[in-house]
Amino acid sequence: MDKAKRNRIFWLGMHKVLVQTELPRLRELGYEVFNPPYLSPVGDQSAYHKIDKTQPTTLPKDIFTKLLQCNFFYKDIPQDIADILNKYFDTIIVTIDPNWLLSVLNSSFKGKVIYRTYGQPQLLSEKLRDNGAQQLILCHPDFTFSPTSQESLDGESTWLKKIAQVAPYCLTDDVIALKDTWHKKAQKRSEIMLTCPSVKNSYYAKQYKFLKKNFSEPHYQYYGAQLVKTYDPQIVGTLPRDVQLERFQSVAGYIYTYKDPTVSYLPPFEMMVVGGPVLFLEGSLLDKFSKHNAPGRCKTIQEARDKAERLLSNDKAFIESVIESQEGVRKRYLPEYVWPIFDDTIEKAIGRRKKREPIL
């Protein structure tokens, strides 16, 4: 038996944020973690594409190389690879996609399976039922489901709610380093930031049309990585990370225009941590996170536009009231709140971790 197997995790994740946060955190906890590269032809603006050949491992060299060459995303796991997973890994953590989870469950992996989710635009219990994963989950002897918020479970089936162990997730260190720096930028850009990545994608194309209909003036700028070249001057396009963060510090404000009740994208929370004012539409998951009297809440598009004008005109009293109301929301994404809960959830799911040195 492989002596390292008990503390070895196969981590099926590819998101740019997660490879900077939860992946290194698992290693800090004392686990050996193998992270396969994203080799899928399916385009994703959030994917981390680097093949990490230098990640710490005690796997035999030929096994390590073979795993690096396999595409684990959006396809079935070959039998020879499934045999390797069973032989060398004690735990598999699957992030995000229910079809990636199905591939792992279909591989007959006998160890622990943790499904880590960050919200879905559709009900997850319906997705798991329709793709056939529900029955496999219920029959698996050691399965953990860990969503990032209780609110994201609204409307889900009872069976999924019963097995949920909620653990929040953390923003990246570069955002945390800029906490409360928005006020230090005395001169603000006459610009309101909105989010719409990958406008050629069918899902985001609908949001793009929504923005062009309701926020078409040039002071509304659409941020988010684009996989193809665009020619709309309102689309900012893919920016270097340091420039993106500087914009959070210098724009007049941010409007979160998505209304999904079970998932929220990260930019509004990044803006809140940086210290700037965020407006949001009623009915969104961000709305659920906020107090009933939150001044950033907008019941209509016109209310969002009117409040945006107050941000642009530097209405200090209104701006301060919005910023103050965000404190409880942004706390959910700060390391001092997130990591103790995350660590405890992982330890309960996997077992006792190795003792680590204090983190300065």
Side-chain angles (χ1 to χ4, degrees):
M1 181 178 180
D2 183 358
K3 294 180 180 180
K5 179 180 177 180
R6 186 169 179 78
N7 284 306
R8 190 182 287 138
I9 300 170
F10 186 90
W11 187 79
L12 195 59
M14 42 65 83
H15 198 284
K16 293 175 182 177
V17 171
L18 299 179
V19 297
Q20 298 179 66
T21 54
E22 295 192 3
L23 175 58
R25 185 66 182 187
L26 289 167
R27 288 172 175 156
E28 287 176 13
L29 292 178
Y31 301 112
E32 178 182 331
V33 187
F34 177 83
N35 175 217
Y38 185 72
L39 302 178
S40 172
V42 178
D44 191 315
Q45 74 279 355
S46 300
Y48 179 78
H49 291 281
K50 180 182 177 182
I51 300 177
D52 188 1
K53 298 179 179 179
T54 62
Q55 58 184 294
T57 185
T58 59
L59 289 168
K61 185 176 180 180
D62 60 327
I63 297 298
F64 180 71
T65 301
K66 192 168 186 177
L67 291 175
L68 284 178
Q69 295 172 344
C70 181
N71 172 27
F72 289 91
F73 301 91
Y74 303 109
K75 63 178 300 183
D76 294 335
I77 296 174
Q79 186 58 54
D80 60 331
I81 298 296
D83 292 340
I84 289 174
L85 296 179
N86 269 308
K87 181 177 180 180
Y88 290 98
F89 292 90
D90 178 65
T91 304
I92 295 180
I93 299 179
V94 183
T95 67
I96 305 172
D97 195 286
N99 290 322
W100 304 348
L101 174 64
L102 179 64
S103 296
V104 169
L105 295 174
N106 278 334
S107 73
S108 300
F109 180 70
K110 296 178 177 61
K112 307 172 193 293
V113 176
I114 300 173
Y115 185 32
R116 178 77 170 137
T117 63
Y118 309 88
Q120 299 280 345
Q122 297 88 28
L123 288 176
L124 183 58
S125 50
E126 292 183 359
K127 283 280 190 179
L128 295 170
R129 178 199 64 201
D130 294 344
N131 76 353
Q134 176 183 344
Q135 193 60 36
L136 294 172
I137 290 170
L138 295 175
C139 293
H140 197 282
D142 202 342
F143 185 92
T144 299
F145 169 52
S146 182
T148 55
S149 73
Q150 192 65 43
E151 293 88 343
S152 68
L153 296 175
D154 289 350
E156 295 288 5
S157 298
T158 302
W159 72 269
L160 190 62
K161 290 181 179 180
K162 282 185 175 180
I163 65 171
Q165 298 183 29
V166 174
Y169 75 121
C170 196
L171 295 179
T172 52
D173 290 344
D174 53 5
V175 176
I176 305 300
L178 297 178
K179 186 172 180 246
D180 294 325
T181 58
W182 183 82
H183 274 300
K184 295 180 181 179
K185 289 279 186 178
Q187 186 65 38
K188 295 293 186 289
R189 302 164 65 94
S190 297
E191 175 184 311
I192 299 294
M193 179 185 287
L194 304 95
T195 296
C196 190
S198 195
V199 296
K200 299 298 182 182
N201 175 284
S202 59
Y203 175 77
Y204 293 108
K206 294 179 182 178
Q207 184 68 12
Y208 175 58
K209 290 178 181 178
F210 171 82
L211 295 183
K212 293 302 290 185
K213 178 181 178 181
N214 297 290
F215 301 95
S216 60
E217 293 85 350
H219 57 264
Y220 295 114
Q221 292 285 292
Y222 311 156
Y223 284 76
Q226 304 296 329
L227 297 178
V228 297
K229 190 171 182 179
T230 58
Y231 299 94
D232 183 343
Q234 283 187 273
I235 297 176
V236 177
T238 305
L239 294 175
R241 181 61 171 168
D242 59 336
V243 176
Q244 170 80 16
L245 294 176
E246 188 280 329
R247 296 294 176 87
F248 281 126
Q249 294 175 294
S250 61
V251 297
Y254 179 100
I255 304 179
Y256 187 66
T257 56
Y258 295 84
K259 297 184 72 173
D260 302 287
T262 55
V263 65
S264 185
Y265 301 100
L266 285 180
F269 306 114
E270 293 176 323
M271 181 62 162
M272 287 181 180
V273 169
V274 172
V278 175
L279 308 178
F280 55 90
L281 297 182
E282 189 175 52
S284 64
L285 183 60
L286 176 52
D287 179 32
K288 293 181 184 179
F289 289 169
S290 303
K291 295 181 179 179
H292 294 301
N293 60 347
R297 178 180 289 106
C298 304
K299 295 183 178 181
T300 65
I301 299 298
Q302 189 56 53
E303 184 178 1
R305 291 174 57 85
D306 292 343
K307 288 184 175 180
E309 290 299 323
R310 298 178 72 177
L311 299 181
L312 289 165
S313 64
N314 196 27
D315 183 335
K316 293 183 179 180
F318 175 67
I319 291 171
E320 286 301 323
S321 69
V322 172
I323 292 173
E324 289 176 7
S325 72
Q326 298 170 171
E327 186 60 36
V329 178
R330 73 175 190 167
K331 173 188 173 183
R332 292 169 171 256
Y333 295 86
L334 296 177
E336 57 267 28
Y337 174 77
V338 172
W339 292 134
I341 303 173
F342 177 85
D343 296 354
D344 186 59
T345 301
I346 291 298
E347 182 176 29
K348 287 178 179 177
I350 298 180
R352 186 177 300 278
R353 59 188 183 267
K354 296 177 183 176
K355 185 177 181 181
R356 67 171 188 270
E357 294 299 317
I359 299 172
L360 299 180

